[in-house]
Amino acid sequence: MPSDKKLLILHVTSEVVPYSKTGGLADVLNGLPKAQATLGHKVYVVSPLYDAVDRARHGIKKLGKSVSVTLGGRSFDFQISKADMGDGATALFLRNDDLFGRPQLYGNGNQDYEDNHIRFGSFSAAIFELVRELGLAPDIIHCHDWQTGLVPAFNRLNSLNVAPTVTTIHNLAYQGQFPADVLPELGISWDVFNPEGLEFYGRVNFLKAGIVWSNKITTVSPNYAQEVLRPEFGAGLDGVLRAKGGNFTGILNGADYSIWDPRNDPYIASSYGPDDLSGKQKCREHLLEKVGLKGVIGPIFGVVGRFASQKGFDLIAQVIPSIVAQGGIVVVLGSGEESIQKAMSVVADAFPNRVALKIGYDEELAHQIEAGSDFFLMPSRYEPCGLNQIYSLRYGTLPIVHSVGGLKDTVVDLGADPENGTGFVFHSFDAGAFLQAVSNAFGIYNDKPRLLAARLRGMAKDFSWGQSAKAYLQLYRQAMKM
Ligand code: ADP
């Protein structure tokens, strides 16, 4: 096969920007397919049509076609619709309102929907019917996270072999585990309920199914790919991943600079770029006014993220008093776990004149925090790739990160390498080490030439999708030879 043959690539995902999103996964499913389509490949992204998807706004059109699948004796019908994602990529949607016509993607609050195995199991089974109904002949099926783990499983176990499969793990902590007795409901034989198959400590594990039956497995940064081979980061699947040998690799996520670039960001108060940073000052003033801290002086430390223990909000809560004592300002945007929300509210309430906390999901404010802040805090316990620190670099906002996963792959520590540094990297996951990095940030804030040089180095970094899209294509071609 000539290496320049254009491929038909079918991505399967539970969320995709601009239609549905709870995290970085959705961003990837917008950026990667568009970059692949730009390289001349035919790219489809299939996702469920949730209630919250705005059909009219996104030009989603019914195809007047439907597919039906039977799982464990129950039938599920899906209507197919379609939308143009731009750059030549096409979104396809599978609609079944009983399963997906709900307010949230995965559950209410912290409570997952109890039929998630059926929802994503039937969605995965329907992929093969969709391929048949639309007459597609994919060269590769690229699956994302546990929700699509049964696609490679059905492909192999039911001898469908429609195409080689690749599974990308966006976060190994979310595996889609269910009690063993769901197996008959999924129409899967007990023959594969063993450690070599999808059994995991007596439970059914969707992500493990994806890993076991895919031709190639990837995760979203080279460093995280190394880390998860060790028990500390492997979430119980390190052995399964080690067994994959060279078929498991890390490819760094890209950033979509058509959405995240201060030169053309419609959400921010004033455009700016490396040639002229004056707009950043206006973004600062606008941000402070918006969060009720108008006119307050001092460096702004921004935070945007899911309230999950992964993200290190416990460390953030611990260092906030010291940031305030040193004359800093903290602006936090996030939502998620109740306990983190409460803990953050307690610290924010203690310093109403210097700490602003916004609870909720707010795309616009996320952009404004990236633009208006001086530093961005990301002390994650673990971080498969992380996008916010990549966005921070482009916005001239120095990231302060824990040395894990993709954070380590994308931020150069000013402490260790003052000539090339783009942010601050701390190594030990404790408040003392984090605080030291924060104190170093105060140091550079008072040294304007050094601060400007570091900002400009970060802004010049290019983490766009082009490079990573090519790495995936190379991987697909290897999978097609297997
Ligand atoms: P993860 O996927 O683990 O949540 P990433 O850093 O990879 O973390 O991606 C997070 C994405 O979600 C970014 O685009 C970020 O701006 C966005 N995001 C997270 N929380 C919020 C929020 N509360 N409001 C707006 N955007 C958010």
Side-chain angles (χ1 to χ4, degrees), residues 6 12 22 43 56 128 134 170 179 238 254 268 287 317 338 378 451:
K6 298 303 179 201
V12 187
T22 69
V43 190
F128 300 94
L134 299 186
H170 296 259
D238 44 294
I268 65 177
L287 174 65
E338 194 91 0
M378 215 157 157
L451 176 65

Side-chain angles (χ1 to χ4, degrees), residues 261-295:
D261 189 322
R263 282 174 289 203
N264 49 34
D265 184 336
Y267 291 129
I268 65 177
S270 174
S271 306
Y272 66 94
D275 299 337
D276 178 8
L277 272 134
S278 55
K280 192 165 172 67
Q281 177 64 24
K282 294 204 186 75
C283 292
R284 172 198 166 89
E285 287 158 16
H286 175 257
L287 174 65
L288 287 179
E289 184 163 2
K290 179 162 176 171
V291 300
L293 297 176
K294 188 173 178 203

Side-chain angles (χ1 to χ4, degrees), residues 159-435:
S159 302
L160 302 169
N161 300 322
V162 166
T165 50
V166 173
T167 286
T168 294
I169 303 167
H170 296 259
N171 190 334
L172 192 59
Y174 300 88
Q175 300 181 358
Q177 292 189 42
F178 303 95
D181 56 19
V182 306
L183 211 55
E185 292 179 56
L186 297 169
I188 295 176
S189 159
W190 288 106
D191 292 352
V192 293
F193 191 70
N194 53 45
E196 287 70 45
L198 50 62
E199 187 254 351
F200 185 75
Y201 297 101
R203 292 163 71 79
V204 170
N205 184 318
F206 274 40
L207 184 63
K208 188 179 175 205
I211 296 171
V212 168
W213 287 296
S214 288
N215 298 82
K216 294 275 183 187
I217 322 299
T218 70
T219 189
V220 290
S221 70
N223 188 43
Y224 188 62
Q226 293 296 315
E227 289 171 347
V228 295
L229 297 177
R230 305 203 305 265
E232 310 93 273
F233 289 98
L237 289 174
D238 44 294
V240 180
L241 290 168
R242 280 197 302 276
K244 283 282 166 174
N247 288 321
F248 170 56
T249 51
I251 298 177
L252 194 71
N253 278 342
D256 187 341
Y257 293 124
S258 71
I259 300 174
W260 293 96
D261 189 322
R263 282 174 289 203
N264 49 34
D265 184 336
Y267 291 129
I268 65 177
S270 174
S271 306
Y272 66 94
D275 299 337
D276 178 8
L277 272 134
S278 55
K280 192 165 172 67
Q281 177 64 24
K282 294 204 186 75
C283 292
R284 172 198 166 89
E285 287 158 16
H286 175 257
L287 174 65
L288 287 179
E289 184 163 2
K290 179 162 176 171
V291 300
L293 297 176
K294 188 173 178 203
V296 181
I297 293 166
I300 303 179
F301 295 78
V303 185
V304 179
R306 285 181 297 117
F307 285 164
S309 95
Q310 173 198 345
K311 300 291 178 181
F313 279 98
D314 42 346
L315 291 197
I316 291 174
Q318 285 177 67
V319 305
I320 281 179
S322 170
I323 292 179
V324 170
Q326 293 183 67
I329 300 163
V330 184
V331 180
V332 181
L333 167 65
S335 62
E337 287 171 28
E338 194 91 0
S339 59
I340 296 177
Q341 196 166 306
K342 280 202 187 114
M344 292 307 295
S345 300
V346 170
V347 263
D349 290 348
F351 305 103
N353 300 326
R354 288 205 160 259
V355 179
L357 171 65
K358 297 287 159 190
I359 290 170
Y361 194 91
D362 187 337
E363 197 80 32
E364 181 174 287
L365 184 58
H367 286 247
Q368 292 164 347
I369 290 176
E370 288 287 7
S373 300
D374 298 291
F375 302 101
F376 193 89
L377 302 178
M378 215 157 157
S380 307
R381 278 191 164 70
Y382 69 92
E383 192 59 75
C385 177
L387 289 169
N388 279 312
Q389 84 283 10
I390 297 178
Y391 303 151
S392 298
L393 291 171
R394 182 51 63 106
Y395 283 75
T397 300
L398 308 192
I400 301 176
V401 305
H402 182 209
S403 176
V404 283
L407 299 174
K408 190 175 171 187
D409 282 327
T410 50
V411 181
V412 181
D413 183 25
L414 277 157
D417 189 350
E419 298 300 307
N420 298 301
T422 55
F424 293 96
V425 182
F426 65 97
H427 295 270
S428 157
F429 187 79
D430 58 64
F434 184 31
L435 194 53

